[in-house]
């Protein structure tokens, strides 16, 4: 296959202004500059903010690969990625309440927009895709939901914003919260894509308690918690009728939908047999549209499924076509362990966590590996090319 | 395809002695006989034992389809099931501590054995499979794990016992509990199959709290909680090295492995990048065998995946063959809603929850529907016949 277009829709940044804001904080989430002059460290979880751990070692380093767009571009060059749709990494702005929320959202979104504009202007090449687009961030902690909807409308006019990224808790009470109706309405009206991303949303008790979780490092919350969190979030959204009231919402689910492609049929069955719902004589409305209809109409998945079993289920869930799958990054084909833990690694390619290691000179190695994985799961060069980039260009109107 | 053998390995019973024992209890789990003379009701969860609900309406009815083996046989006849491997339904004996645990396990297992022996003797037909086999139950609350191992060894000599059923909590602390080592050893030594079955093991907080769970009836805990619980349980077992220490364990996972086929690659990736483990310089041993190796060597899945997406992922996880998939029952092809909720419905065919409804006279309808679903997912008559019965006969030595 001759050089298909490659678009990475799952790649995060921490703009400098965001890092400075976290640096000024002293409770989670906050950034601390270690005394040895190493990269600033982000303490993102309460469990990371452990007084038994020296402050210089808490959390995880956030180096220039997050905050310096040049490093992102170098990484894209090295790995043959034509275009990236960047998004703020967690915890986004979820921890900012009151009026400040909107101010920060505007600041971050304007930053993202101007970064894209500057990079694209400096790198413009005839007949090539612009290099950067962005998913914006929302002031979910604002006192009124209309403020969130207002920011959706505002950024829909920015030339490089193609959607918004959101965690699974929404305004704090999950995605079936009536406090999000205005936001769904704004997203439907503007047709901005909602990129739904997990963020340590399952309690330790789901895994047997904190001691069990600690025993296996980050494996249980990351390998199982992240996808389950996404699945629960979208299921609550579906059960509460959001897709009935906003039938044109567009949602991109991280990690190939968590486990939704595998469990959609089970959700369908349980609803059909649930006497709480009106259709079975109960008092609760229940969802009107079928889950497979929603999957084929409203849901898009990234191709971050770590293996052909998951990728094939994702294709089946989309109605048997690859039209709704977008290339993210594929962790299972990463080189061996990185030197420190970072949640982003688990989406895959972010420099410096996806280097060619002993193959420094072969800039195409990792991408070639991804080709192989995607080729194994999907039949035909056209399907592969669509997943790698064509679908993203079409679905997100990247031009 | 001419009448393939059909074996149902996911079908539950409550023997009369078990029901009587629950009837004598007054705290969860217990059985209450309603004053209207209707079937006894099983109050299985603390949340069902709500003082605001009249006692006669708490929990769920447990009619003769659970306790009368003749009703089970009628159901098998009606649906063309040649052979069933019956197992005690939840909550098994998990709530019985001390010495009584072993006494009850022996009683229930002897009951199961004699039921199988009597039925098979009464229905024996040359060149046909015996009609019944059983998975035994374990005294997991016994003071010493050796007592549990002793019961495994004891029942391995009973002619109709082919394995044991177990919930995800084991002896109360999950399946990575050192208190289970003797049990794993006994199961490996006897080569009895461990049928791992979920039982409301996720806390409500995983779904957003009790109010959210109640809002959607049983959909969240059943559609998502059950499979996630199974996945977490087997992941903990794997992470703690059980499959390294007991490489010949045989485990049958309910509901096509929960979500394990979809998430196995993600587990693999997260382990490879987890610095807690020795292989990455940490202090914890970590699993030595690969997850895909375990899936292809130790794990069997029932074909209760509610759709081709899940079934195909289950096949991929087994190494691309259908050799490790066993027919259970397929809920998504159930007729419309039953008149009351019962967890077992969600495995599918149990009479009276899987009747031909308006097609009372067509005893083959539901089985034909199952053929269609399995045929759609698997290629070739041989593969379909293997999943419907041939695999179970071979793997469980049903003769």
């Amino acid at each position: 296959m001759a050089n298909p277009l490659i678009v990475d829709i799952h790649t995060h940044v921490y703009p400098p202004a965001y890092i400075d804001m976290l640096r000024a904080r002293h409770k989670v989430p906050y950034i601390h500059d270690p005394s040895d002059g190493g990269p600033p460290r982000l303490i993102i979880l309460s469990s990371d903010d452990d007084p038994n751990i020296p402050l210089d070692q808490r959390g995880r380093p956030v180096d220039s690969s997050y905050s310096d767009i040049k490093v992102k571009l170098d990484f894209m060059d090295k790995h043959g990625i034509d275009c990236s749709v960047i998004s703020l990494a967690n915890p986004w702005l979820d921890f900012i309440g009151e009026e400040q929320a909107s101010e920060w959202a505007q600041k971050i979104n304007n930053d993202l927009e101007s970064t894209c504009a500057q990079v694209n202007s400096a790198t413009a090449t005839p007949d090539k895709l612009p290099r950067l687009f962005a998913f914006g961030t929302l002031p979910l902690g604002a006192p009124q939901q209309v403020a969130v909807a207002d920011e959706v409308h505002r950024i829909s006019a920015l030339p490089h914003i193609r959607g918004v990224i959101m965690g699974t808790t929404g305004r704090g009470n999950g995605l079936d919260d009536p406090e999000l109706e205005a936001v769904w309405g704004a997203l439907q009206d503007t047709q901005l894509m909602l990129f739904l991303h997990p963020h340590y949303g399952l309690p330790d008790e789901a895994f047997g308690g904190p001691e069990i979780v600690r025993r296996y490092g980050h494996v249980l919350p990351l390998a199982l918690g992240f996808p389950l969190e996404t699945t629960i979030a979208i299921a609550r959204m579906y059960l509460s009728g959001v897709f009935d009231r906003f039938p044109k919402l567009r949602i991109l689910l991280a990690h190939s939908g968590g486990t939704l492609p595998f469990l959609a049929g089970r959700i369908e069955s349980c609803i059909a047999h649930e006497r709480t719902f009106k259709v079975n004589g109960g008092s609760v409305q229940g969802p009107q549209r079928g889950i497979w209809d929603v999957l084929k109409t409203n849901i898009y998945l990234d191709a971050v499924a770590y293996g052909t079993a998951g990728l094939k289920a994702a294709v089946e869930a989309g109605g048997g076509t690859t039209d709704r799958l977008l290339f993210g990054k594929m962790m299972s084909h990463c080189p061996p362990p990185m030197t420190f833990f970072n949640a982003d690694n688990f989406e895959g390619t972010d420099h410096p966590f996806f280097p060619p290691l002993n193959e420094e000179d072969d800039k195409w190695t990792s991408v070639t590996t991804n080709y192989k994985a995607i080729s194994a799961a999907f039949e035909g060069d056209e399907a592969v090319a669509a997943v790698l980039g064509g679908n993203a260009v079409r679905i997100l109107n990247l031009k």
Side-chain angles (χ1 to χ4, degrees), chain A residues 1-9 71-84 128-131 327-329 349-351 354-356 360-371 374 384-385 387-390:
Chain A
M1 186 166 38
N3 290 346
L5 212 55
I6 299 180
V7 179
D8 186 352
I9 52 79
V71 179
K72 178 79 71 187
L73 292 167
D74 284 348
F75 170 77
M76 290 168 62
D77 286 339
K78 195 161 194 168
H79 295 87
I81 294 168
D82 296 284
C83 173
S84 287
K128 281 214 168 183
L129 271 191
R131 299 228 73 189
F327 175 65
K329 289 163 290 179
T349 63
D350 292 72
H351 180 259
F354 195 48
E360 295 266 348
D361 298 333
D362 184 2
K363 69 177 178 179
W364 286 89
T365 300
S366 55
V367 175
T368 308
T369 312
N370 282 1
Y371 284 170
I374 290 182
V384 173
V387 172
L388 287 174

Side-chain angles (χ1 to χ4, degrees), chain A residues 8 11-13 64-86 114-124 129-133 350-351 363:
Chain A
D8 186 352
T11 181
H12 299 302
V13 295
S64 60
S65 60
Y66 287 99
S67 51
D68 184 345
I69 199 67
K70 288 196 195 72
V71 179
K72 178 79 71 187
L73 292 167
D74 284 348
F75 170 77
M76 290 168 62
D77 286 339
K78 195 161 194 168
H79 295 87
I81 294 168
D82 296 284
C83 173
S84 287
V85 185
I86 57 177
S114 68
T115 296
C116 293
Q118 284 167 27
V119 165
N120 292 352
S121 154
T123 59
L129 271 191
R131 299 228 73 189
L132 291 184
F133 290 91
D350 292 72
H351 180 259
K363 69 177 178 179

Side-chain angles (χ1 to χ4, degrees), chain A residues 209-226:
Chain A
E211 194 192 326
I212 298 290
V213 171
R214 269 197 300 274
R215 188 179 303 169
Y216 308 118
H218 297 78
V219 173
L220 290 172
L222 273 176
L224 307 185
F226 266 40

Side-chain angles (χ1 to χ4, degrees), chain A residues 231-358:
Chain A
T231 310
I232 290 169
I234 192 80
R236 287 173 59 184
M237 206 170 160
Y238 169 68
L239 289 168
S240 70
V242 169
F243 296 102
D244 301 319
R245 296 190 296 283
F246 304 98
K248 302 205 164 169
L249 263 184
R250 306 191 330 147
I251 304 197
L252 172 62
L253 297 180
H255 314 113
S256 286
T259 62
L260 186 63
F262 198 77
L263 296 181
R266 192 169 167 91
I267 294 171
E268 180 186 42
S269 289
C270 288
I271 289 171
H273 296 79
E274 175 51 59
R275 60 176 177 158
T276 294
F277 295 134
K278 279 187 182 165
V279 66
N280 298 335
S283 60
V284 175
Q285 175 67 64
Q288 302 300 292
R289 293 175 55 202
I291 184 85
W292 298 105
D293 175 33
V294 170
L295 268 162
K296 290 172 193 168
T297 310
N298 303 90
I299 306 281
Y300 301 84
L301 306 175
D302 70 21
V304 184
Y306 310 93
T308 52
L311 282 172
K312 285 188 177 177
V315 171
E316 283 290 318
T321 87
T322 51
D323 289 355
R324 308 180 73 80
L325 267 183
L326 290 81
F327 175 65
K329 289 163 290 179
M330 301 188 62
M331 167 74 175
S332 63
H333 307 288
C334 258
M338 277 87 51
T339 49
F340 59 85
F341 163 74
N342 183 300
D344 254 13
N345 298 338
F346 294 87
E347 276 78 66
T349 63
D350 292 72
H351 180 259
F353 317 119
F354 195 48
L357 279 189
N358 296 322

